[in-house]
Amino acid sequence: MSTFSPSAPPGDVRARAPGTVRGVHGLLFFTPFLLVFLVAIAAPLLYAVYLSFFQDRLVGGVTFVGLDNYRRALTDGLFHAGLLRVALFLAVQVPVMLGVALLAALAIDSGRLRFPGVFRIGFFIPYAVPSVVAALMWGYLYGRRFGLVGDIGGWLGTTLPDPLGRSWMLASIGNVVTWEYMGYNMLILYAALRAIPGELYEACQMDGAGEIRKAWSIKIPALRKALLLATVFSIIGSFQLFNEPNVLQSLAPSVVTTSYTPNMYAYNLAFNGQQFNYSAALAVVLGAITAIIAFTTQGSANRSGRSR
Amino acid sequence: MPPTPRKRLWAVLPAALALTLAACGGTGTGAGAGAGDTPASGAAPADLTKALDTPVTLTFWTWVPNLDKTVALFEQRYPNVKVNVVNAGQSADEYTKLQTAMKAGTGGPDVAQVEFFALPQFALAKQLVKLDDYGVASLRPKYTASAWSQVNFAGGVYGFPQDTGPMVMFYRKDILDRLGLQPPKTWQNFADAAEKIHADDPRNFISSIDPGDAGGVDSLLWQAGSRPFQTVTPTQASVNLKDAGAAAWSALWSDLLRRKLVDPVPGWTNEWWQGMGSGRYAMWITGAWAPGSMSTTIPKTAGKWRVAPMPQWKAGDQVTAENGGSADVVLTTSKNKTAAVAFAQWLNSDPVAVKSLSDNGLFPATTGLLADPAFLDAPNSLFGDQRPNKIFAESSARVGTGWQYLPFQVYANSVFKDTAGQPISTGSDLAAGLTAWQRRIVEYGEQQGFQVTSG
């Protein structure tokens, strides 16, 4: 504590103007975070931006290339295909996952379940499973010959479509991601539900409303902010999609290509292709697109919220 | 070592977890205990041994299980040298870490295991110590010709061959006997046998082909006489995946795939091993390193397998190729290069060491052991009464010469699944897939500043 004003003992600080003291104290509390933020977040980001203006070739070494890497990203078909794929994923998987999470949160909050704690933990446990392990596990289940899918097909006396095939892979990844993150989103929504003041329910009951009406008129509107938060997290998560397809790649190498998602593409370019600079440019572009979509979602939700 | 060992992840989940943990803990330091280092020029073998009498700590990255046993023998022999064996992940996982450490300039090991196909890339980037400066040229006769040629890059020696993978054919004797088939001697015999096996039971295949395994296809091309990758000078390369050998390979395998006589599934997965164990696949044409994995993963099939030379393109020929294999290299960031070179040399040339490596499952790269009667006559219960090492050693001596990898083979192999792997899994024209692969490789090479000529 003595480090913040080495020239004067801490006791002297009190003698100064109270406003300054509060400012100093505020700064003190803020400094640890600021340091970590600068070192762990701001510096790598700036470094990535810096890297993206150069090119380091196996023959020829490092040269400054200005915006060349960004120009290349604009015309890179593999990058665009990956972006479109995660956009499709986002459009389908996120609403499904949040819908299921909402239903689960409402069910647990309704007070009609016998052991709500068990359900709460049960839904949440998959989130505690590392995504690599989750993908490995689902990879086994998806097996058509010896996995669960194969067994179910056997019982039904038919061959089910291959979950790891070209047409179903994205849906299969969506299923893994939904399984993993549904409980996490449910918890965000459930916490918001617990924050609703009891008087509202009492008033509602006096007006003769049932559970459905209560959910529709009180709970869901009260969940606006929490749902928005969960949506923004999910948008970011979708664009960052990496672990699940990367693990499933060993099972379906020709379906999950090296450029299946933008993150996988950047990873392969950097670590197999040593194109750290172009990869940094892709990361910056991807980050910018994610930020724009997340902000737009938030902005439009806030505007429509005010107009109500 | 198998060409795509990360697929073992799927063989055993607990092993995969252990691997992940090991990879997380994989930060070695190259800091030694203060032994003065000789600059890399003209250190004679005598200096190498002297370096091992000075107290020093070396870090060695390898993913070979049980290699610490061989290292323990070294530490017994040279008690002043302490070697930290670190598993920094397998194959591409390790290269990623190595690349990062080399870029950062610190945190890298003194000695690292690198597969033959990845060696030129590190050598080109001047990240490997040129071993000619330490007088290792005299070691040449100790190694098989193909192993030695694979540690050479642009006229220099950059690694000590640790293990090799001469290609052979593993086949299920019980299945072939039941169908009255002989182990195919030519690829035409192979296609005929494939037809009979599939006709007998449409769930079964003669073998599988992995749409994600560039190394496996590289080896088959190699044996077919194709030499698609050539490094002319360190900055000039040529790629030709349309030569006569490649055309022959794609014609045969396109036909097999179109008629669904081979199974286009990734290897090393749980399902694939199940298939290997259940008789779904009658053969596996691969490197001589395979028996170790087979004994541990499908022990119930012990005694049913036999080994034969791989099928030939022309009856009467005896041409083989290599699949996998790796070398130990010394990194330029090492602070104890002389001791590191001396250690790597002992590990891969001392008779005690190579015997220990072989006992722990690596297929030898040294001619001494390959000619040793005790080695050649060693039985293996996986193969019944057969003595497999004889056939492995013969294959090792008959590897087609002149094969090279590109100085950016790691990337080239990584995009195999995006291009050549596509027609493998859909059963369409493989020649078109090879052309697409060639285009991606050339494009990348040019981006990296190479002069690339293509066929």
Side-chain angles (χ1 to χ4, degrees):
Chain A
M1 277 297 126
S2 60
T3 50
F4 74 97
S5 57
S7 57
D12 284 10
V13 175
R14 283 174 195 281
R16 290 187 193 146
T20 325
V21 174
R22 207 173 298 148
V24 170
H25 283 162
L27 198 65
L28 256 178
F29 280 112
F30 183 56
T31 306
F33 166 76
L34 187 69
L35 283 179
V36 173
F37 175 79
L38 287 178
V39 171
I41 297 178
L45 264 178
L46 289 176
Y47 186 56
V49 173
Y50 169 79
L51 279 181
S52 70
F53 295 125
F54 292 87
Q55 188 178 40
D56 182 2
R57 304 199 292 181
L58 288 167
V59 178
V62 184
T63 41
F64 178 81
V65 292
L67 293 173
D68 273 8
N69 286 327
Y70 291 95
R71 260 180 231 125
R72 189 177 151 199
L74 281 182
T75 55
D76 189 337
L78 294 173
F79 180 54
H80 299 167
L83 274 177
L84 277 178
R85 191 171 287 120
V86 289
L88 174 68
F89 182 87
L90 169 72
V92 178
Q93 187 268 338
V94 172
V96 169
M97 173 177 68
L98 293 182
V100 178
L102 177 64
L103 282 180
L106 288 173
I108 291 174
D109 188 58
S110 69
R112 302 263 171 119
L113 292 179
R114 204 166 266 265
F115 301 106
V118 174
F119 282 96
R120 213 166 59 208
I121 276 292
F123 286 140
F124 187 69
I125 276 178
Y127 180 67
V129 176
S131 59
V132 170
V133 177
L136 279 170
M137 195 186 79
W138 277 98
Y140 286 124
L141 295 179
Y142 285 153
R144 269 213 302 180
R145 278 169 191 161
F146 300 99
L148 184 68
V149 169
D151 290 345
I152 293 176
W155 292 328
L156 298 177
T158 162
T159 314
L160 295 176
D162 184 2
L164 300 171
R166 229 158 274 264
S167 30
W168 285 92
M169 179 57 89
L170 200 59
S172 302
I173 294 171
N175 179 46
V176 178
V177 175
T178 304
W179 180 83
E180 281 176 283
Y181 293 100
M182 190 278 277
Y184 169 79
N185 288 300
M186 177 220 52
L187 217 61
I188 295 181
L189 300 176
Y190 179 70
L193 285 175
R194 301 307 293 170
I196 297 173
E199 302 93 273
L200 281 178
Y201 292 138
E202 280 170 32
C204 184
Q205 248 154 359
M206 272 184 227
D207 289 344
E211 279 299 325
I212 303 278
R213 184 63 204 248
K214 216 155 69 175
W216 186 252
S217 301
I218 296 180
K219 292 185 180 180
I220 292 182
L223 283 177
R224 260 191 97 70
K225 283 231 161 81
L227 266 175
L228 180 63
L229 182 74
T231 309
V232 170
F233 281 166
S234 304
I235 290 172
I236 296 170
S238 299
F239 276 103
Q240 305 272 346
L241 198 61
F242 179 78
N243 274 342
E244 294 81 5
N246 199 45
V247 170
L248 293 177
Q249 189 176 57
S250 323
L251 294 181
S254 62
V255 177
V256 183
T257 56
T258 53
S259 55
Y260 196 72
T261 73
N263 251 0
M264 287 178 73
Y265 186 43
Y267 178 87
N268 191 53
L269 283 174
F271 293 113
N272 283 325
Q274 302 183 72
Q275 299 191 341
F276 292 95
N277 305 91
Y278 180 49
S279 181
L282 289 183
V284 171
V285 172
L286 182 65
I289 292 174
T290 312
I292 290 169
I293 293 184
F295 279 125
T296 315
T297 311
Q298 204 159 11
S300 66
N302 284 344
R303 264 196 307 283
S304 67
R306 271 197 299 274
S307 66
R308 275 164 68 102
Chain B
M1 279 291 103
T4 51
R6 55 174 304 191
K7 284 187 179 160
R8 279 177 203 224
L9 230 83
W10 287 97
V12 202
L13 180 57
L17 291 177
L19 186 79
T20 314
L21 292 177
C24 292
T27 47
T29 57
D37 193 37
T38 324
S41 62
D47 295 337
L48 288 182
T49 337
K50 210 164 71 194
L52 296 177
D53 294 334
T54 327
V56 64
T57 304
L58 299 172
T59 304
F60 175 30
W61 284 8
T62 177
W63 61 83
V64 176
N66 297 322
L67 203 79
D68 47 332
K69 288 181 188 160
T70 314
V71 169
L73 295 174
F74 172 80
E75 288 177 329
Q76 259 171 34
R77 173 83 178 70
Y78 298 101
N80 283 318
V81 185
K82 165 104 187 60
V83 181
N84 291 323
V85 179
V86 176
N87 181 349
Q90 298 195 35
S91 196
D93 292 343
E94 191 211 66
Y95 307 148
T96 301
K97 293 200 184 76
L98 207 52
Q99 213 73 260
T100 313
M102 296 312 287
K103 215 158 169 61
T106 57
D110 299 283
V111 181
Q113 174 189 359
V114 166
E115 283 155 291
F116 291 134
F117 80 87
L119 185 137
Q121 184 152 331
F122 288 100
L124 176 79
K126 300 205 178 358
Q127 291 163 343
L128 306 185
V129 171
K130 193 172 173 184
L131 299 172
D132 307 70
D133 300 337
Y134 292 84
V136 300
S138 59
L139 290 178
R140 182 182 185 140
K142 283 197 171 211
Y143 295 101
T144 67
S146 74
W148 190 255
S149 80
Q150 292 187 85
V151 293
N152 266 270
F153 174 71
V157 177
Y158 289 93
F160 296 99
Q162 178 175 276
D163 71 306
T164 59
M167 299 265 288
V168 291
M169 177 171 70
F170 299 99
Y171 67 93
R172 286 279 295 266
K173 186 173 188 300
D174 54 331
I175 297 177
L176 261 56
D177 283 352
R178 185 168 53 79
L179 297 173
L181 294 167
Q182 290 295 314
K185 287 210 166 7
T186 64
W187 284 107
Q188 189 50 54
N189 295 157
F190 179 85
D192 297 341
E195 202 172 348
K196 293 207 175 91
I197 289 168
H198 195 58
D200 172 60
D201 184 341
R203 287 173 306 177
N204 293 345
F205 301 91
I206 191 163
S207 78
S208 65
I209 178 168
D210 185 339
D213 181 17
V217 169
D218 282 348
S219 300
L220 292 175
L221 291 173
W222 182 342
Q223 195 237 355
S226 175
R227 295 291 179 270
F229 313 119
Q230 298 290 330
T231 305
V232 188
T233 73
T235 60
Q236 276 180 301
S238 80
V239 183
N240 184 2
L241 284 156
K242 297 171 185 168
D243 61 11
W249 174 81
S250 40
L252 175 86
W253 285 83
S254 296
D255 181 54
L256 289 171
L257 284 162
R258 189 180 48 77
R259 291 154 68 200
K260 299 196 189 313
L261 300 181
V262 288
D263 198 17
V265 296
W268 295 89
T269 66
N270 187 38
E271 291 207 341
W272 183 81
W273 275 117
Q274 298 263 13
M276 286 289 286
S278 70
R280 164 184 275 273
Y281 306 122
M283 285 176 194
W284 188 19
I285 297 175
T286 191
W289 41 259
S293 306
M294 290 161 80
S295 317
T296 47
T297 319
I298 43 173
K300 283 193 181 136
T301 58
K304 293 179 177 167
W305 293 93
R306 293 292 182 277
V307 188
M310 69 188 295
Q312 294 296 316
W313 288 92
K314 237 169 55 202
D317 273 3
Q318 293 181 321
V319 186
T320 65
E322 296 249 13
N323 181 262
S326 47
D328 289 325
V329 298
V330 177
L331 284 308
T332 45
T333 51
S334 167
K335 292 194 173 64
N336 301 293
K337 295 190 188 70
T338 313
V341 171
F343 162 68
Q345 177 176 327
W346 182 90
L347 186 71
N348 297 300
S349 63
D350 189 280
V352 175
V354 295
K355 174 77 173 44
S356 164
L357 291 178
S358 161
D359 289 346
N360 289 320
L362 291 183
F363 190 80
T366 51
T367 45
L369 190 54
L370 284 170
D372 182 355
F375 172 79
L376 292 174
D377 290 334
N380 184 337
S381 59
L382 188 65
F383 305 105
D385 49 5
Q386 207 182 8
R387 302 278 187 269
N389 286 350
K390 254 188 195 129
I391 299 167
F392 298 160
E394 277 165 18
S395 169
S396 177
R398 292 168 182 165
V399 172
T401 54
W403 178 271
Q404 287 185 1
Y405 290 110
L406 293 170
F408 41 90
Q409 196 72 36
V410 175
Y411 179 81
N413 281 5
S414 79
V415 294
F416 174 85
K417 56 174 96 64
D418 300 5
T419 51
Q422 298 295 319
I424 292 180
S425 66
T426 55
S428 44
D429 181 25
L430 292 178
L434 289 181
T435 305
W437 191 26
Q438 171 168 326
R439 212 179 302 125
R440 272 291 273 286
I441 296 173
V442 171
E443 189 190 344
Y444 175 84
E446 284 172 349
Q447 268 163 11
Q448 289 296 323
F450 290 91
Q451 278 183 349
V452 191
T453 48
S454 56

